[in-house]
Amino acid sequence: MILDMFSELQRPGARVPGFEQQLYADCVEQAVLADESGFGCWWAVEHHGSPEFSYSAAPDMMLAVISQHTQRIRLGHSGVLAPFAINHPLRVAERAAFLDNVSGGRLELGLARSVPHEWETFGSDADSTRE
């Protein structure tokens, strides 16, 4: 059996100076441990405007950092927000190709429709997000 890890970059508690920097450092440390422990994939998801829930607004960048500290674990971008107003398909393809290259071919890419508050944030029409 192969087990994966899923990270939304979240942590309860008070937001003190340095909170985000420590959260990102802890994430890298956890991913390294997952790599060393034999987990199959480190999954990250994209969210915007929900710091109480997730600090994962740039998962491709976080995965690029993780790729430079790990050897074999696959890197999963489990939810590139696919509505055009949020991420244009060409930019998604370019970033995915970059991440796949710097990670030595370890990228797993998934697309997501997003959620209503993110459509509102980026001005996406809810009906067009399924296209």
Side-chain angles (χ1 to χ4, degrees):
M1 177 185 327
I2 299 173
L3 299 175
D4 294 345
M5 298 293 287
F6 189 87
S7 173
E8 297 216 37
L9 285 173
Q10 58 188 180
R11 176 180 296 150
R15 305 310 194 245
V16 298
F19 170 84
E20 292 88 356
Q21 185 177 11
Q22 188 61 54
L23 178 64
Y24 300 140
D26 290 347
C27 179
V28 172
E29 184 178 334
Q30 291 164 1
V32 167
L33 181 59
D35 184 45
E36 293 169 350
S37 299
F39 282 84
C41 189
W42 182 271
W43 291 97
V45 66
E46 180 178 358
H47 283 298
H48 300 276
S50 299
E52 69 285 351
F53 173 69
S54 172
Y55 274 81
S56 193
D60 51 345
M61 295 179 76
M62 190 75 229
L63 290 172
V65 171
I66 289 171
S67 78
Q68 302 305 295
H69 294 274
T70 58
Q71 300 301 312
R72 53 153 279 323
I73 195 167
R74 303 221 28 105
L75 304 167
H77 195 326
S78 63
V80 177
L81 301 185
F84 287 8
I86 301 174
N87 288 304
H88 190 279
L90 181 59
R91 294 214 29 146
V92 171
E94 291 171 337
R95 287 173 179 250
F98 174 84
L99 182 51
D100 197 51
N101 275 289
V102 300
S103 71
R106 294 186 283 151
L107 177 64
E108 300 287 344
L109 182 65
L111 304 175
R113 185 172 169 228
S114 184
V115 294
H117 86 268
E118 289 171 322
W119 302 332
E120 293 167 10
T121 298
F122 289 94
S124 291
D125 173 59
D127 293 331
S128 70
T129 62
R130 289 193 184 272
E131 295 175 0

